Amino acid sequence: MGTRRKLIVVANRAPVSYARSAEGERTTIRGGGGLVTALRSLVTHHDVTWIASAMSDEDRAVSTERAGDAFEETSREGAPYRLRLVAHDTSAYDWYYNVVANPTLWFLQHYMWGLPYAPDLDLGLHNAWFNGYLPVNEGFARATIAELDRDPAAAVFFHDYHLYLAPKLVREQRPDALLAHFIHIPWPERDYWHVLPEHLRRAVHEGVLANDILGFHTARWKRNFLRTCEDVLGAEVDYAESTVVHDGRRTLVTSHPLSIEPQEFEDLRDDAAVLEEERVIVERRPEFLILRVDRTDPSKNVVRGFRAFALFLDMHPEMHGRVTLLALLDPSRQDVPEYSEYLAAIQREARAVNDRFQSEGWTPIDLQVGDNFTQSVAAYKQYDVLLVNAVFDGLNLVSKEASLVNERDGVLILSENTGAHEELGEWALTVNPFDVYGQAQAINEALTMDADERRRRLEAIRGSVRRHDLAAWLAAQLADLDRVGVAFAHGDERSSH
Ligand code: F6P
């Protein structure tokens, strides 16, 4: 990975969270999720300071003990890095995470509203924006500036939709800082941004355009962003160069799809705990196994997936008793009512399908709600069909992880609205996430596909994932930093631009 660089990673979630055991001992929980997993290897190869929110009570205690300063931590791979936990005001954090970031920005960016009924952007949202999202972003900006003062040569790498305001707040104080931002979720089309009142959609766009570089997973999200900049701000956009000029500053807009570390998954295949979970799956599985692995996020479209499976069973009575849909679902963001309601809808739908079709010894939908990565990897090995039918998804790493370790020439059914479709679509069975009938047909096509064709497609997906791995994604981010004309190699003085 070449030169060691000084990087300040700024993301809502830290790679680690703290808790207390029953005996009162402090324990550490290694953080999960696509973003944290992807950035972990940065820590191994570069000098990283990671700024994140103190999320648990124990995180807050750790932050207080260090007076809010950074301290030394060790990654899962044993690499040292500095961690700085920002203990935001608890009400402000609640408004930021549970009112603005997830039910508003996440919903907006995944097109998740039925507009005649939602959203109601009432006083609650305005209050949450100004007393939650803004102060939390200010807290992140202060911490970033403090770290830049310690090391002005470091590049700042913001992540995701939690931090749209922070770059501008940093830029106002440190005009020469090198700022990059990666957005891990879709960027919707310009008209959809008009659901947000003008001052809020302007604040989002102006906030992120304070960065030198703005990254997306796909050309589709990048294109949408370039268009919304023209529409929302009247900014000067150069589509050929992929740059936006606003307020006298130029931002380079890039697209690099995130990926996984293939070796990590190759190694996990024979891990003892994975083999044990696999034994349980093999014991229970019928002739065919359809798998989905998701957070219980409404954007993942689990309920429609169950309906499609029920329709498939209606259309193919010969398959009754021969196929199970195993749904391994990680409960997510349960303090947000829309999420807890969606989890209940998932449970209701699974129950309805099972009540209708199940027979002695056969459960059509095997729904398991929990966070068990080992079990997911075991299931990745065993599926015949992987169902990824997200309404919209920035990328979808499951489609890459699962394809890499699968041992049954499993077929990928992939929503056309996932970022991963831009890379893997030609070897998947493409579905429209709203077309339940189309998904039922795709399930049948996948289960009856010729063995050679299944193998050809899976091998092609694997080749693509190995060629475009996590190291390539990280290298592309760092090359972009160089491309904006700044040398910030370890110890170098950075020139302004
Ligand atoms: O998709 C964006 C993302 O930040 C992922 O990187 C991550 O896995 C997921 O959202 C988790 O979100 P949260 O931190 O709210 O649990």
Side-chain angles (χ1 to χ4, degrees), residues 12-13 32-36 55 97 102 106 110 160-162 184-185 217 258 295 300 332-333 393-394:
N12 180 57
R13 206 170 266 284
L35 182 158
V36 161
M55 293 174 86
Y97 189 80
N102 290 316
W106 179 279
H110 291 83
D160 243 345
Y161 56 101
H162 310 90
H184 294 255
I185 64 176
H217 288 306
L258 184 62
R295 288 183 302 104
K300 302 293 183 182
S332 179
R333 306 176 187 164
D393 204 339

Side-chain angles (χ1 to χ4, degrees), residues 108-164:
L108 173 85
Q109 294 194 236
H110 291 83
Y111 298 90
M112 273 161 56
W113 287 309
L115 292 183
Y117 304 102
D120 268 332
L121 303 182
D122 55 16
L123 197 56
L125 175 75
H126 289 269
N127 173 51
W129 186 280
F130 291 106
N131 298 315
Y133 195 70
L134 176 60
V136 168
N137 270 262
E138 284 169 343
F140 272 111
R142 275 194 300 276
T144 306
I145 290 165
E147 290 301 328
L148 275 173
D149 287 347
R150 177 178 175 272
D151 192 350
V156 181
F157 199 9
F158 292 105
H159 285 270
D160 243 345
Y161 56 101
H162 310 90
L163 301 176
Y164 287 155

Side-chain angles (χ1 to χ4, degrees), residues 356-368:
R356 188 162 158 227
F357 292 101
Q358 77 189 13
S359 58
E360 186 59 36
W362 176 52
T363 310
I365 297 181
D366 182 356
L367 169 62
Q368 303 197 25

Side-chain angles (χ1 to χ4, degrees), residues 76-265:
R76 205 169 71 175
E77 291 74 21
Y81 67 101
R82 295 172 73 248
L83 178 61
R84 184 178 182 121
L85 291 175
V86 186
H88 311 284
D89 173 82
T90 46
S91 310
Y93 188 79
D94 181 46
W95 281 321
Y96 148 93
Y97 189 80
N98 292 320
V99 180
V100 178
N102 290 316
T104 304
L105 294 173
W106 179 279
F107 269 54
L108 173 85
Q109 294 194 236
H110 291 83
Y111 298 90
M112 273 161 56
W113 287 309
L115 292 183
Y117 304 102
D120 268 332
L121 303 182
D122 55 16
L123 197 56
L125 175 75
H126 289 269
N127 173 51
W129 186 280
F130 291 106
N131 298 315
Y133 195 70
L134 176 60
V136 168
N137 270 262
E138 284 169 343
F140 272 111
R142 275 194 300 276
T144 306
I145 290 165
E147 290 301 328
L148 275 173
D149 287 347
R150 177 178 175 272
D151 192 350
V156 181
F157 199 9
F158 292 105
H159 285 270
D160 243 345
Y161 56 101
H162 310 90
L163 301 176
Y164 287 155
L165 305 181
K168 185 160 182 256
L169 297 167
V170 173
R171 177 66 71 208
E172 280 162 4
Q173 303 294 320
R174 297 292 175 274
D176 292 333
L178 179 58
L179 309 181
H181 198 143
F182 197 90
I183 294 175
H184 294 255
I185 64 176
W187 198 269
E189 298 207 47
R190 51 189 170 193
D191 281 350
Y192 209 65
W193 281 99
H194 285 250
V195 178
L196 271 194
E198 192 194 352
H199 62 289
L200 299 187
R201 62 178 189 264
R202 278 192 79 90
V204 167
H205 285 78
E206 288 189 326
V208 295
L209 284 176
N211 289 292
D212 298 287
I213 304 164
L214 189 59
F216 294 93
H217 288 306
T218 65
R220 184 180 182 184
W221 316 142
K222 179 178 93 167
R223 198 168 47 242
N224 286 347
F225 177 75
L226 295 175
R227 288 180 183 151
T228 60
C229 286
E230 281 181 319
D231 180 66
V232 172
L233 300 176
E236 192 189 310
V237 175
D238 183 329
Y239 286 88
E241 292 290 318
S242 197
T243 56
V244 181
V245 176
H246 176 67
D247 223 6
R249 290 199 55 78
R250 183 183 303 273
T251 302
L252 174 68
V253 187
T254 63
S255 64
H256 302 297
L258 184 62
S259 195
I260 57 168
E261 174 57 64
Q263 195 57 49
E264 182 188 340
F265 284 88

